[in-house]
Amino acid sequence: MRLPIMERLASGDILIADGATGTMLQAAGLPTGTPGEAWILERPDEISELHRAYLEAGSQIILTSTFGGTRARLTKAGLDAQVGEINRLAAELARQAAGDDVYVGGDIGPTGEMMPPLGKLTYQAAVEMFAEQAQALAAGGVDVIYIETMGDLNEAKAAVEGAKQACDLPVFCTFSFDTHGRTGMGVSPVQAAQTMAELGAAAVGANCGHAPEEVLDFIPQMREAAPGAHLIAKPNAGLPRMVKRQVVYDAGPERMAELALRYVELGVRIVGTCCGSLPAHIAAIAAAIRKTRGESA
């Protein structure tokens, strides 16, 4: 039986997260342009199989397949009437796959809308959308609300606030840094970590982004800015390039395992991968971390 996730992290243990969702669903036949969230209702067995693949690879925390599960994104897919159902069912599918020993993070991504002065999404409307999603994820049985790939500091603040309004679960938040060490909206690792920690996020970090090597620079900055928060590293599997009209990421499992050990040396406590990764990447990371602990496979 798992300890509460915050107790597990407080013990100094390292949790291995999962990898990419889109890469796996597309390989399973998800049509281009169809949101993965649609399969939560239409093909739940595929979602469960995705989770099982990462669990078999060694993931100790898996994310629900709800990155685009806000009302704003689901409206674009004609699924706005099923926001609550989609998020709750996704949480239930992940919880069933995870069983009693593995943690489930309720995945929340950006709304896809711009906030002022660049767009019309108000702060309060964003808070309400994030709260709606978080409430459904909590009802489905997640252990933590896991906000990721944030670029706009105000949107990230709205996501944390909405999650805290909706439930009493711990909240994690990671940002995507890909433009000269900042997010696309100009947010630095220091700004991100400090602001999220002040709002009560229990863990902060970097995901997605540019080259995974760059995370080695971001993590120390975030650690210094938010010394009381746990750290997360979940970068892409290298840089994408086109090979025979296919997008290929250039960091294989061994390279990502090497980097994972370096992240851990810098204080990261939750480590996984993002775009372009496969269960093989997670298996390599898990094996590398077990080896450093002197554990057998």
Side-chain angles (χ1 to χ4, degrees), residues 2 55 59-62 94-95 97-104 143:
R2 65 191 182 281
L55 290 166
S59 292
Q60 296 162 304
I61 173 170
I62 58 173
R95 179 80 276 152
D100 292 333
D101 298 323
V102 173
Y103 300 100
V104 175
D143 296 288

Side-chain angles (χ1 to χ4, degrees), residues 14-140:
I14 301 156
L15 292 180
I16 300 161
D18 57 8
T21 295
T23 303
M24 294 285 286
L25 294 182
Q26 288 161 13
L30 180 72
T32 301
T34 299
E37 288 77 15
W39 272 18
I40 295 166
L41 300 175
E42 298 170 7
R43 296 178 64 176
D45 288 348
E46 296 287 357
I47 303 298
S48 296
E49 182 57 35
L50 162 73
H51 294 318
R52 283 194 291 270
Y54 283 121
L55 290 166
E56 290 171 4
S59 292
Q60 296 162 304
I61 173 170
I62 58 173
L63 304 184
T64 58
S65 53
T66 54
F67 178 82
T70 56
R71 179 168 292 275
R73 284 187 180 269
L74 292 179
T75 294
K76 294 176 181 177
L79 296 169
D80 47 304
Q82 296 163 291
V83 173
E85 181 185 5
I86 286 170
N87 282 281
R88 179 185 52 76
L89 179 56
E92 291 174 351
L93 291 171
R95 179 80 276 152
Q96 290 166 7
D100 292 333
D101 298 323
V102 173
Y103 300 100
V104 175
D107 193 16
I108 293 179
T111 62
E113 303 288 336
M114 301 293 283
M115 300 180 75
L118 301 176
K120 297 180 180 180
L121 176 65
T122 67
Y123 183 84
Q124 188 54 42
V127 170
E128 291 171 2
M129 279 195 286
F130 288 125
E132 177 183 37
Q133 187 180 10
Q135 184 175 40
L137 291 167

Side-chain angles (χ1 to χ4, degrees), residues 191-236:
Q191 288 175 301
Q194 188 172 38
T195 303
M196 294 303 100
E198 289 172 351
L199 289 174
V204 298
N207 82 290
C208 200
H210 200 235
E213 290 81 5
E214 293 179 356
V215 176
L216 298 170
D217 294 326
F218 305 149
I219 291 300
Q221 296 177 51
M222 301 186 91
R223 185 177 188 178
E224 184 174 355
H230 299 288
L231 295 171
I232 302 170
K234 207 171 184 287
N236 291 344

